[in-house]
Amino acid sequence: MTGLQRIRSVLAGLLMLAGVALLLVQPEAGYRIIALILSVVLLIDGVRSLWFYFSMARHMVGGRLILFRGIIALDLGMFAYSLQEIPPVYILLYLLVANLFAGVIDVLRAMEAKRMESRWRLNLAIGIANILLALSCGFCFRNPTLLAYVYAAGLAYSACLRIAQAFPKTAIVYIP
């Protein structure tokens, strides 16, 4: 991880902690804040993936997967933004499915890294945390205020892990 990537990871973690503070200050409007955070993150990820595809990945093996990922993330971000005007149950259901899917993907990624004898424990912890967050959101499905607190706790955990990922020992020697 380069120095710029480390700074970007720490800044993303700090922004996530700012979102946690916002959720803790305004828990009654939590579902709208959650939907806004989710849609902005998906839109940024979609635009970033599409930019990467058109600038470099179209010449790479497997570049089409990056194109498809960008299009899907962009569509899901616009869909999440459009959900702000409908009842909060749909937003909460969308959030539950998104976190559950992300958790399963992280666990599968950790299992693959373990097979390759690579670093896998942190990905496994992130995946299990996302799955537990989705399950706990499922239990407090009818109480939006409690759901905002649960989501804030999961977001804080994810932010702390993102910041911790920025400072691992590097296995490769970099020559400036």
Side-chain angles (χ1 to χ4, degrees), residues 97-119:
V97 170
N99 276 326
L100 188 63
F101 183 71
V104 169
I105 294 295
D106 284 336
V107 167
L108 291 175
R109 197 177 289 163
M111 290 171 49
E112 181 182 355
K114 185 178 180 181
R115 275 195 307 264
M116 301 285 184
E117 298 178 3
S118 181
R119 298 170 59 194

Side-chain angles (χ1 to χ4, degrees), residues 36 41-42 48 54 59 61 71 84 108 128 136 143 159 175:
L36 183 65
V41 166
L42 285 170
R48 188 174 51 93
F54 287 116
H59 305 293
V61 174
I71 291 171
Q84 290 184 8
L108 291 175
I128 291 173
S136 61
N143 189 353
I175 300 173

Side-chain angles (χ1 to χ4, degrees), residues 28-33 35-36 78-95 141 144:
E28 59 274 348
Y31 69 93
R32 291 191 188 274
I33 295 170
L36 183 65
M78 288 188 277
F79 179 68
Y81 187 74
S82 70
L83 286 178
Q84 290 184 8
E85 299 303 321
I86 62 173
V89 174
Y90 297 112
I91 295 171
L92 304 179
L93 183 65
Y94 181 67
L95 176 68
F141 197 72

Side-chain angles (χ1 to χ4, degrees), residues 105-165:
I105 294 295
D106 284 336
V107 167
L108 291 175
R109 197 177 289 163
M111 290 171 49
E112 181 182 355
K114 185 178 180 181
R115 275 195 307 264
M116 301 285 184
E117 298 178 3
S118 181
R119 298 170 59 194
W120 57 274
R121 288 182 179 93
L122 193 57
N123 278 342
L124 183 67
I126 292 170
I128 291 173
N130 277 334
I131 291 172
L132 290 176
L133 176 66
L135 293 177
S136 61
C137 287
F139 288 125
C140 60
F141 197 72
R142 296 287 177 199
N143 189 353
T145 304
L146 182 61
L147 183 71
Y149 288 133
V150 169
Y151 187 72
L155 195 62
Y157 176 74
S158 181
C160 291
L161 283 178
R162 181 175 286 253
I163 291 171
Q165 279 180 331

